[in-house]
């Protein structure tokens, strides 16, 4: 009986995997989105019950009803705003997105704190070290959690709006006509409603003060559809950048998720950004710069990106080779192809602690600098944010890279 059960289970798993393999990427994305929204709704209801139980135990039915109406609004606001913005632009959608985005940070930490408290109390009750009368529904517990989360989110808003310039000095042991280059890299700008015109103006001013030779934007230049970027005339701000060798970028996951990748390419070109889509170009007869289309391209368009070997096949390996790849995946291919510097973003270094432990488990390098022999790799935590405009346990940043060559 036991062996038959195992065989049947294996057969069922094989059958499910076979069926799943034939589902289109877009359908998978929709199914995962629906599942995620379901989990979000259930966990939000858990938070709502905990807040009501600890803070409104003696409240009247009218106050309790008002509480649940406000809570439901906050829970749905971000998704209503994003959904509405897909069909028409309006101030109402913008306000819903702003309110909902901040609520997502509160939601995340309220869930973590309450789960931690409930789990600790459950262990304490089982061990007999905490009286059964002490529960997470006590007002002192509820108010303590709310106060801690408020302080944490306010701190996270300040960090997200205080980007730091991070410096790296690298030596590449190849001879070139130039002795050195100064790169400014800004990954994950997420330009749009939440990272808007004012922050971009400040960034462009700061970049010009650094006098870089070249500016690189390895993906997620935009956060949402192209509308806000164009309506707020952000291309005009980007055209103020004056690097010697120009501005280059590659597409990230967000340029594909919203389904406007071709229109995005057109609008970014108006900002004097040269997008490298599985291409390599020689800069100043001194080094090669390649840009890979995002790893999600195949998942969202059913069109695979080119292998790195094919992208670099015309490159003279005696010259330095720099590769932009939005997501720090297929790193081994970069090492095997003998590239000198690999630049990526995407991870946000988790953005909200403790998600950085998840990104560390997912990627060979989720933030910072790493090298092996002649291969150098830098992954930035990014300038902007995704979802809540909040960072806890990670820093908004833009990156300065000084490269010295052997001459």
């Amino acid at each position: 009986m036991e062996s038959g059960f195992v065989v049947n289970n294996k057969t069922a798993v094989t059958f499910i995997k076979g069926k799943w393999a034939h589902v289109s990427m877009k359908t998978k994305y929709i199914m995962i989105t629906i599942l995620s929204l379901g989990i979000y709704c259930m966990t939000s209801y858990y938070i709502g019950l905990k807040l009501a139980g600890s803070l409104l135990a003696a409240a009247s039915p009218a106050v309790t009803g008002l509480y649940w109406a406000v809570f439901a609004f906050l829970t749905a606001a971000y998704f209503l705003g994003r959904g509405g913005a897909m069909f028409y632009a309006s101030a109402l959608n913008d306000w819903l997105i702003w309110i909902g985005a901040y609520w997502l940070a509160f939601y995340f930490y309220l869930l973590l704190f309450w789960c931690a408290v409930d789990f600790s109390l459950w262990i304490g009750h089982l061990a007999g070290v905490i009286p059964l009368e002490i529960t997470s529904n006590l007002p002192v517990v509820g108010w303590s959690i709310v106060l801690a989360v408020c302080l944490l989110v306010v701190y996270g808003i300040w960090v997200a709006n205080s980007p730091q310039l991070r410096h790296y000095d690298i030596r590449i042991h190849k001879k070139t006509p130039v002795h050195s280059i100064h790169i400014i890299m800004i990954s994950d700008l997420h330009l749009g409603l939440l990272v808007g015109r004012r922050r971009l103006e400040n960034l462009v001013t700061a970049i010009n003060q650094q006098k870089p030779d070249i500016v690189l934007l390895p993906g997620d230049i935009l956060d949402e559809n192209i509308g806000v970027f164009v309506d707020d005339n952000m291309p005009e701000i980007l055209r103020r950048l004056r690097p010697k060798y120009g501005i280059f970028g590659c597409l990230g996951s967000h340029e594909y998720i919203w389904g406007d990748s071709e229109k995005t390419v057109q609008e970014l070109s108006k900002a004097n950004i040269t997008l490298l889509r599985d291409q390599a170009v020689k800069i100043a007869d001194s080094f090669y710069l390649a840009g890979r289309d995002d790893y999600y391209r195949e998942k969202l368009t059913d069109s695979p990106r080119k292998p790195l070997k094919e992208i670099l096949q015309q490159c003279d390996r005696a010259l330095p080779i720099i590769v932009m790849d939005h997501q720090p995946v297929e790193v081994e291919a970069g090492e095997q192809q003998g590239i000198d510097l690999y630049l990526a973003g995407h991870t946000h270094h988790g953005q909200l602690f403790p998600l950085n432990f998840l990104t560390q488990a997912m990627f060979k390098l989720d933030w910072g600098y790493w090298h092996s022999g002649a291969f150098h790799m830098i992954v930035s935590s990014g300038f902007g944010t995704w979802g809540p405009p909040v960072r806890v346990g990670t820093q908004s940043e833009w990156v300065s890279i000084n490269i010295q060559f052997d001459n």
Side-chain angles (χ1 to χ4, degrees):
M1 289 290 291
E2 185 175 342
S3 60
F5 178 74
V6 172
V7 170
N8 288 337
N9 269 350
K10 288 182 177 179
T11 302
V13 169
T14 301
F15 176 78
I16 292 171
K17 284 184 176 180
K19 291 294 184 181
W20 182 253
H22 288 88
V23 177
S24 71
M25 291 296 180
K26 288 185 178 180
T27 302
K28 289 179 181 178
Y29 183 75
I30 292 171
M31 292 170 67
I32 292 171
T33 300
I34 293 172
L35 177 62
S36 300
L37 286 174
I39 294 172
Y40 172 72
C41 290
M42 288 188 290
T43 51
S44 293
Y45 183 60
Y46 165 78
I47 294 170
L49 289 175
K50 289 298 178 181
L51 282 170
S54 59
L55 306 183
L56 300 175
S60 67
V63 171
T64 302
L66 178 62
Y67 157 78
W68 279 110
V70 172
F71 186 85
F73 166 75
L74 292 173
T75 300
Y78 184 80
F79 304 97
L80 290 174
R82 286 295 188 198
M86 293 176 68
F87 300 100
Y88 62 94
S90 72
L92 174 60
N93 287 327
D94 291 350
W95 276 106
L96 287 172
I97 292 169
W98 272 105
I99 293 169
Y102 284 113
W103 172 251
L104 288 176
F106 282 98
Y107 153 83
F108 180 76
Y109 282 111
L110 285 171
L111 180 62
L112 282 187
F113 273 70
W114 244 299
C115 285
V117 168
D118 275 347
F119 181 75
S120 300
L121 289 174
W122 178 67
I123 294 295
H125 292 159
L126 286 179
V129 297
I130 299 178
L132 295 176
E133 295 79 20
I134 298 179
T135 71
S136 59
N137 287 334
L138 291 174
V140 65
V141 175
W143 283 114
S144 297
I145 290 176
V146 169
L147 177 61
V149 170
C150 286
L151 292 174
L152 196 59
V153 171
V154 169
Y155 165 75
I157 293 170
W158 176 76
V159 172
N161 286 275
S162 306
Q164 294 183 354
L165 176 59
R166 195 167 303 280
H167 296 272
Y168 295 100
D169 295 308
I170 294 173
R171 175 168 287 278
I172 293 177
H173 296 288
K174 290 182 177 180
K175 293 185 177 181
T176 69
V178 297
H179 295 280
S180 64
I181 57 170
H182 178 204
I183 299 172
I184 290 293
M185 176 180 80
I186 316 102
S187 77
D188 302 277
L189 273 165
H190 288 278
L191 296 174
L193 181 63
L194 300 178
V195 180
R197 182 183 175 93
R198 181 179 60 82
R199 287 188 65 186
L200 180 60
E201 286 179 327
N202 293 338
L203 176 63
V204 167
T205 299
I207 291 173
N208 283 333
Q209 290 172 352
Q210 292 293 314
K211 298 179 179 179
D213 295 315
I214 191 169
V215 173
L216 303 182
L217 308 174
D220 279 4
I221 301 169
L222 305 183
D223 188 49
E224 60 246 333
N225 60 54
I226 200 74
V228 178
F229 179 74
V230 174
D231 294 342
D232 286 357
N233 203 16
M234 294 190 204
E236 181 272 329
I237 300 171
L238 287 168
R239 286 196 294 271
R240 299 175 193 172
L241 290 170
R242 293 289 185 269
K244 183 191 301 184
Y245 301 132
I247 313 166
F248 294 84
C250 64
L251 296 184
S253 50
H254 277 248
E255 280 82 33
Y256 281 105
I257 286 173
W258 288 92
D260 288 332
S261 59
E262 298 306 322
K263 189 175 181 182
T264 297
V265 170
Q266 295 173 12
E267 294 298 334
L268 290 177
S269 67
K270 297 177 184 177
N272 292 339
I273 298 172
T274 301
L275 286 172
L276 300 176
R277 306 189 63 183
D278 287 345
Q279 297 170 272
V281 294
K282 185 188 285 188
I283 308 292
D285 288 324
S286 300
F287 62 94
Y288 289 95
L289 175 65
R292 303 199 69 183
D293 256 9
D294 186 61
Y295 182 70
Y296 280 172
R297 169 178 162 169
E298 182 175 2
K299 295 178 181 295
L300 297 172
T301 68
D302 293 322
S303 173
R305 64 180 185 172
K306 292 181 182 178
L308 185 59
K309 182 178 180 180
E310 182 179 341
I311 297 170
L312 302 178
Q313 63 183 353
Q314 301 299 324
C315 295
D316 179 0
R317 303 310 173 96
L319 290 176
I321 299 174
I322 300 170
V323 172
M324 294 183 293
D325 193 359
H326 176 61
Q327 300 189 43
V329 296
E330 299 183 359
V331 177
E332 292 76 11
E335 292 186 74
Q336 293 167 5
Q337 291 302 312
I339 70 170
D340 299 287
L341 178 58
Y342 179 102
L343 302 175
H346 180 69
T347 70
H348 293 219
H349 196 209
Q351 187 169 318
L352 297 175
F353 177 86
L355 294 180
N356 54 305
F357 292 112
L358 178 62
T359 57
Q360 287 170 16
M362 290 174 63
F363 300 98
K364 183 170 186 173
L365 178 70
D366 77 319
W367 172 73
Y369 169 76
W370 178 83
H371 78 97
S372 175
F375 177 81
H376 302 266
M377 178 178 179
I378 294 173
V379 179
S380 173
S381 59
F383 181 85
T385 52
W386 177 69
V390 176
R391 281 183 180 263
V392 176
T394 179
Q395 182 66 50
S396 288
E397 67 177 21
W398 50 298
V399 178
S400 172
I401 308 168
N402 286 297
I403 302 177
Q404 298 290 329
F405 301 110
D406 289 345
N407 285 308

